[in-house]
Amino acid sequence: MSFGQSIKHVFSNYATFQGRASRSEFWWWYLFTAIVSLILFIPAIPWYNEYVSASLNQIGDATQVLPAPSGLAILGLVLSTIFSLAVLVPTIAVAVRRLHDTDRSGWWLLLWLLCCFGIGAIILIILWILPSTPGPNRFGEGPAIAI
């Protein structure tokens, strides 16, 4: 599945949690969301760097004022947030379908909440990397186009 096909397929199955998603569909979608999020966040990067630097320097000084975001930084933050909220449901849906493709329940996605040293995220990434179950499994036929 190509980059464009993947994005089109995920958006056309916006809230479909049933079925299966190939590795290519899943990883192209994540690349797309990462690129768009970064592009939308670019105007806020200078302010963010100042904010983090001031926050780190403020540890012993409670009177220091943190920098206020500029109008451009606010625009970047708002656009990035709106995009993230807009793709939240399809991102969860394609992640669940990818787990289905490895013959695992979508409930495995709750591992993301296991935040102790990022162990849940590491386990999920490993599961998403695993190859598809050949042929049909309990979640349906295999994806039409897989890698």
Side-chain angles (χ1 to χ4, degrees), residues 1-138:
M1 182 173 282
S2 72
F3 183 77
Q5 288 173 323
S6 170
I7 294 162
K8 183 178 177 184
H9 191 261
V10 172
F11 274 126
S12 66
N13 291 292
Y14 193 89
T16 304
F17 295 88
Q18 298 170 345
R20 296 167 63 176
S22 67
R23 280 190 287 188
S24 59
E25 176 183 355
F26 176 81
W27 291 112
W28 282 128
W29 173 257
Y30 266 80
L31 179 64
F32 165 73
T33 59
I35 290 170
V36 173
S37 294
L38 178 64
I39 289 169
L40 293 175
F41 190 72
I42 285 174
I45 289 175
W47 166 79
Y48 182 76
N49 288 337
E50 276 184 60
Y51 186 86
V52 169
S53 177
S55 296
L56 292 173
N57 292 333
Q58 185 184 18
I59 292 173
D61 182 11
T63 61
Q64 184 177 355
V65 177
L66 296 174
S70 67
L72 196 56
I74 290 173
L75 177 66
L77 292 168
V78 168
L79 290 176
S80 181
T81 302
I82 289 170
F83 176 75
S84 296
L85 290 173
V87 297
L88 179 63
V89 172
T91 299
I92 293 170
V94 75
V96 166
R97 291 195 312 268
R98 179 69 199 124
L99 288 169
H100 287 176
D101 195 42
T102 62
D103 205 20
R104 286 173 180 78
S105 167
W107 290 106
W108 279 80
L109 196 58
L110 292 177
L111 281 175
W112 198 264
L113 302 175
L114 184 63
C115 59
C116 181
F117 301 109
I119 301 238
I122 292 168
I123 293 169
L124 279 172
I125 290 169
I126 291 168
L127 293 177
W128 289 327
I129 290 172
L130 291 175
S132 302
T133 304
N137 67 18
R138 61 188 168 137

